[in-house]
């Protein structure tokens, strides 16, 4: 006989979900906590929603909380890193360009 451990997420006496991993069960419980909090916030909203719609919206928002923070900015590629790979001046080096009768002389210190 094999022993299997199961984690039950129970809310208000109702079994919501069963997990075999405690970490996943805790994450789902936190998701339900957030949905419950959002439901309370939506109850005070200036628009009226019936209870079922409000709970569904709160659960949807909790599941998609990463989307609520807005679009993620892409990291800016710095031109200095590319220039240093080619042997050009970097931000730690100082470069000076001198124009002398149409000739350009660049000094790197």
């Amino acid at each position: 006989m094999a022993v299997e451990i199961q984690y039950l997420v129970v809310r208000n006496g109702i079994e919501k979900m069963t997990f075999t991993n405690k970490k996943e069960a805790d994450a789902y419980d936190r998701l339900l906590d957030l949905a419950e909090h959002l439901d309370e916030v939506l109850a005070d909203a200036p628009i009226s929603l019936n209870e079922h719609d409000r709970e569904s919206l709160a659960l949807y928002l909790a599941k998609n909380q990463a989307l609520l923070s807005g679009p993620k900015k892409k990291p800016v590629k710095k031109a200095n890193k590319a220039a240093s790979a080619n042997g050009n001046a970097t931000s730690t080096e100082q470069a000076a360009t001198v124009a002398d009768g149409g000739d350009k002389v660049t000094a790197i210190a």
Side-chain angles (χ1 to χ4, degrees):
M1 175 184 267
V3 175
E4 186 176 304
I5 297 174
Q6 293 184 340
Y7 299 91
L8 301 174
V9 177
V10 179
R11 288 286 204 189
N12 302 324
I14 301 170
E15 184 180 320
K16 294 290 186 177
M17 194 73 101
T18 303
F19 296 91
T20 57
N21 181 326
K22 183 176 181 346
K23 185 177 179 179
E24 290 174 1
D26 287 340
Y28 190 74
D29 189 48
R30 285 190 303 273
L31 176 85
L32 293 178
D33 284 340
L34 178 58
E36 186 175 320
H37 175 71
L38 289 170
D39 182 52
E40 292 170 3
V41 170
L42 290 171
D44 295 333
I47 59 170
S48 62
L49 297 169
N50 65 44
E51 184 177 354
H52 180 267
D53 288 343
R54 192 178 67 234
E55 288 174 356
S56 296
L57 179 59
L59 186 59
Y60 174 80
L61 291 173
K63 286 180 180 178
N64 294 288
Q65 60 184 312
L67 299 174
L68 296 175
S69 63
K72 303 274 187 207
K73 291 185 177 179
K74 293 182 181 179
V76 177
K77 293 182 182 178
K78 294 186 178 179
N80 289 342
K81 288 185 179 181
S84 67
N86 294 332
N88 294 338
T90 64
S91 60
T92 57
E93 299 172 331
Q94 293 183 6
T97 303
V98 178
D100 182 26
D103 294 333
K104 286 188 177 182
V105 178
T106 302
I108 299 175

